[in-house]
């Protein structure tokens, strides 16, 4: 998906993907990663997600990356935070307390930028990308996270032929094949949510939650 597409969505306020509350599946399953307080957690395509605040409230140092400057501006202003701002080769960094959001291209982050990230939380990034970019995203960006990194990945599953993404359907088989052999993949939960999303427009809809660990 081209960068211009997402920037336009934010400019026009077409952000139906943004949740007005913390993701319940994050609250339910984050403990399965058993990360220590103070751990650095990477959140790709962070938007202005309340999940970032929740992770910081658990005692984590959050590193998010987001393409849209509007999303980052709204995140801090809506929560009464005044970030310190500086620039680097990765983009423009906005830092307030334990939250750091980089306005820039996620693919520009290298292993040095992610070296301290012992956790990763992916609710909106993988399912936002069409298949060719999903492959690049996992092969490049996830490969820069350190060995031993733990992750929580949340996906959607639906008949792809019935709807044009994003968000895209990402089936369990694809998750397992794309993350192998660098990452171990454990399915924690699959939940039918069609009744809760009547406007989604497909005949079936489920969400799946995976625990990831970088093993090689």
């Amino acid at each position: 998906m081209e960068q211009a597409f997402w920037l336009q969505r934010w400019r026009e306020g077409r952000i139906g993907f943004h949740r007005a509350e913390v993701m319940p599946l994050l609250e339910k399953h984050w403990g399965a990663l058993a990360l220590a307080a103070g751990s650095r957690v990477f959140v790709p395509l962070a938007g202005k997600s309340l999940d970032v605040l929740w992770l910081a409230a658990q005692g984590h140092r959050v590193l998010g990356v987001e393409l849209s400057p509007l999303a980052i501006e709204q995140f801090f202003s809506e929560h009464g935070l005044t970030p310190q701002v500086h620039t680097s080769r990765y983009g423009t960094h906005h830092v307030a307390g334990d939250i750091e959001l980089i306005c820039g291209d996620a693919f520009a982050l290298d292993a040095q930028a992610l070296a301290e990230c012992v956790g990763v939380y992916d609710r909106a990034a993988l399912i936002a990308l069409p298949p060719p970019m999903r492959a690049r995203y996992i092969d490049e960006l996830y490969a820069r996270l350190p060995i031993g990194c733990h992750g929580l990945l949340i996906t959607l599953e639906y008949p792809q032929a019935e709807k044009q993404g994003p968000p895209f359907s990402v089936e369990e088989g694809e998750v397992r094949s794309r993350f192998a052999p660098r990452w171990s993949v454990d399915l924690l939960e699959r939940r039918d949510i069609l009744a809760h999303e009547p406007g989604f427009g497909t005949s079936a809809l489920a969400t799946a939650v995976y625990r990831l660990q970088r093993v090689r």
Side-chain angles (χ1 to χ4, degrees):
M1 193 63 56
E2 299 216 1
Q3 294 183 356
F5 171 87
W6 291 109
L7 291 172
Q8 184 175 359
R9 289 279 293 261
W10 278 99
R11 282 195 301 269
E12 296 176 353
R14 294 188 294 121
I15 54 171
F17 49 84
H18 173 70
R19 296 179 62 94
E21 67 280 334
V22 175
M23 178 60 156
L25 294 173
L26 168 63
E27 296 177 304
K28 178 179 178 180
H29 291 292
W30 184 252
L33 274 58
L35 297 183
S39 297
R40 193 157 175 80
V41 175
F42 178 49
V43 182
L45 279 62
K48 59 174 183 175
S49 174
L50 298 182
D51 297 348
V52 168
L53 283 177
W54 186 89
L55 288 166
Q58 309 315 301
H60 297 303
R61 297 177 296 122
V62 182
L63 174 66
V65 62
E66 168 56 43
L67 187 64
S68 169
L70 276 177
I72 293 178
E73 176 186 320
Q74 290 173 19
F75 174 85
F76 288 107
S77 65
E78 288 174 6
H79 302 295
L81 300 173
T82 303
Q84 300 295 312
V85 180
H86 68 275
T87 59
S88 76
R89 67 179 183 272
Y90 307 119
T92 304
H93 301 243
H94 303 73
V95 184
D98 288 330
I99 296 172
E100 178 177 1
L101 298 182
I102 302 174
C103 186
D105 183 354
F107 288 105
L109 301 181
D110 55 22
Q112 182 178 344
L114 300 173
E116 295 183 11
C117 294
V118 298
V120 55
Y121 171 60
D122 186 333
R123 180 192 75 82
L126 186 66
I127 61 174
L129 303 173
M133 286 197 72
R134 288 203 291 271
R136 181 188 172 204
Y137 171 66
I138 294 171
D139 291 345
E140 295 185 20
L141 190 59
Y142 267 85
R144 296 166 190 160
L145 289 162
I147 291 176
C149 181
H150 292 74
L152 193 71
L153 170 68
I154 301 175
T155 64
L156 291 176
E157 299 174 352
Y158 64 86
Q160 189 66 82
E162 295 180 7
K163 185 179 178 70
Q164 181 179 2
F168 293 94
S169 176
V170 183
E171 303 289 333
E172 181 178 352
E174 179 180 351
V175 171
R176 293 188 179 279
S177 63
R178 289 200 189 279
F179 278 95
R182 290 192 180 102
W183 295 79
S184 66
V185 177
D186 296 313
L187 176 66
L188 299 180
E189 177 180 353
R190 176 176 286 107
R191 179 183 299 183
D192 185 332
I193 60 170
L194 184 63
H196 303 289
E197 300 287 346
F200 196 76
T202 56
S203 60
L205 179 64
T207 187
V209 185
Y210 301 90
R211 177 175 54 197
L212 310 173
Q213 183 177 2
R214 177 82 192 271
V215 294
R216 57 184 290 184

